[in-house]
Amino acid sequence: MASNPMQRKARNSFLLGVFITMIIAALVIAFLLYMMYQQKAEKEEIENDKVTVYVLIKDVKSGTNVATKTEKGGLLTSELSTVEVTRKAAPETAITASNYSNVITENSIFKIDLKSGTILSTDMIEESGDKTQDDTREQEFNMIVLPTQLQENDYIDIRLRLPSGQDYIVVSKKKVLNADEITMWIRLTEDEILTLSNAIVEAYQIDGTLLYATKYIEPGLQNAASVTYVPTRSVLQLINSNPNVIQTAKDELAKRYNNSTLLSGRTDIIDPAVTSVGEEAQGNVSTGTGASIEAQKQSRADYMKELETKQSSTMTTTTK
């Protein structure tokens, strides 16, 4: 039966519409599949491009140790946490989970003051010169005049100033383990213990002498000062013959104290000052120096009380 031209035309239009719809649907599906594939590929690329880095979870001071050694021999990083970031977001020198063990040791310190949230990089740390050796011991001192604002983890030089104005560095760049109003705790090697003991005796023998500590501003960036104080010949002989002083220290001291300039400071200035002191004057300090020391101690006592007040106030606020 012949179909009506109008019906045939309508049927053809319908079929064409269905065909076009199918083509459009296929294109949409293909586009959606392509977009899904692209998103999956991008996601995989981002995941593969991520790196685990170390980030500070609190502010740290220059000279603070990056990690501490545990009893099992591992390293504990209480100031650090790990986060995942893209390689583009991480500095080129970032310390990552893969290179951490090769970069961080128990002697690593922060070179500068850093804020919480900072991604740690290799140019922010260095190896401390204050390394633990076989003859290293923790020492307590209460006869050294301390800086007013001295705190735990600060680095100091211990100096001896004579009444004539000559000023000698006795011990260089030592980390303060703890400190109160008049006492501090530091670690010294055997040769440093003997040298400082000599300086303490001479500080009490020579009227008007001051034995005091000075703080480093950026200990992570500043190199240790050169020691300029030369102990007495008898102490040098003791250091040289003492089996507790490791050989490397003996060799270094031999080179240091064979320096004619340093030796002349000993023979021309310090020795005559010690010799000229009478027995009754031993252990005394001049009135001016004594007053200065007492004023320094009072300033430090006031500072410590201020710190205690702030800490107490902070704890009260936190509790509330």
Side-chain angles (χ1 to χ4, degrees), residues 12-82:
N12 290 340
S13 296
F14 173 77
L15 292 174
L16 179 63
V18 170
F19 179 71
I20 292 174
T21 301
M22 291 177 64
I23 292 176
I24 293 173
L27 290 174
V28 171
I29 292 172
F31 176 75
L32 291 175
L33 289 173
Y34 173 76
M35 292 298 296
M36 291 174 62
Y37 174 79
Q38 283 289 96
Q39 289 179 353
K40 183 180 179 181
E42 289 176 2
K43 186 176 181 180
E44 289 179 351
E45 184 179 353
I46 292 173
E47 288 296 325
N48 293 332
D49 192 49
K50 281 186 176 180
V51 60
T52 301
V53 297
Y54 284 84
V55 177
L56 289 169
I57 57 177
K58 60 182 179 181
D59 297 351
V60 295
K61 290 178 59 179
S62 172
T64 304
N65 281 88
V66 179
T68 54
K69 198 170 185 178
T70 64
E71 293 180 357
K72 295 182 179 180
L75 292 176
L76 177 66
T77 52
S78 57
E79 286 84 8
L80 300 176
S81 180
T82 55

Side-chain angles (χ1 to χ4, degrees), residues 79-219:
E79 286 84 8
L80 300 176
S81 180
T82 55
V83 295
E84 281 192 342
V85 297
T86 61
R87 294 186 185 276
K88 290 182 180 179
E92 291 184 7
T93 56
I95 296 176
T96 65
S98 60
N99 67 11
Y100 175 86
S101 59
N102 296 325
V103 177
I104 303 299
T105 71
E106 61 180 312
N107 297 308
S108 298
I109 61 173
F110 295 104
K111 294 171 67 174
I112 54 177
D113 294 346
L114 295 170
K115 294 292 185 181
S116 175
T118 302
I119 296 176
L120 191 62
S121 60
T122 55
D123 53 358
M124 295 176 183
I125 64 169
E126 71 170 2
E127 286 296 289
S128 169
D130 193 16
K131 297 181 180 180
T132 302
Q133 302 177 16
D134 290 341
D135 63 343
T136 301
R137 299 291 184 272
E138 187 172 314
Q139 296 284 306
E140 175 183 341
F141 297 99
N142 60 7
M143 72 294 293
I144 298 169
V145 179
L146 306 180
T148 301
Q149 298 186 4
L150 184 71
Q151 297 183 40
E152 180 181 336
N153 293 325
D154 284 341
Y155 280 75
I156 60 166
D157 288 339
I158 299 177
R159 307 178 69 107
L160 180 71
R161 187 173 70 211
L162 300 180
S164 57
Q166 275 78 11
D167 201 304
Y168 299 93
I169 298 174
V170 182
V171 175
S172 175
K173 200 173 185 182
K174 291 299 170 183
K175 184 177 181 178
V176 177
L177 305 177
N178 196 4
D180 59 23
E181 293 183 7
I182 62 172
T183 306
M184 70 173 175
W185 289 258
I186 59 176
R187 288 177 183 157
L188 299 174
T189 55
E190 185 71 14
D191 60 292
E192 291 171 333
I193 293 171
L194 296 175
T195 301
L196 182 54
S197 296
N198 195 146
I200 290 170
V201 171
E202 292 187 331
Y204 280 94
Q205 283 182 322
I206 305 171
D207 191 27
T209 299
L210 178 66
L211 189 65
Y212 67 105
T214 57
K215 282 175 56 174
Y216 283 74
I217 300 171
E218 289 286 355

Side-chain angles (χ1 to χ4, degrees), residues 215-244:
K215 282 175 56 174
Y216 283 74
I217 300 171
E218 289 286 355
L221 294 175
Q222 295 173 284
N223 294 324
S226 298
V227 173
T228 56
Y229 174 78
V230 180
T232 61
R233 185 175 298 277
S234 60
V235 171
L236 288 176
Q237 290 173 345
L238 177 60
I239 290 173
N240 191 52
S241 61
N242 191 333
N244 291 319

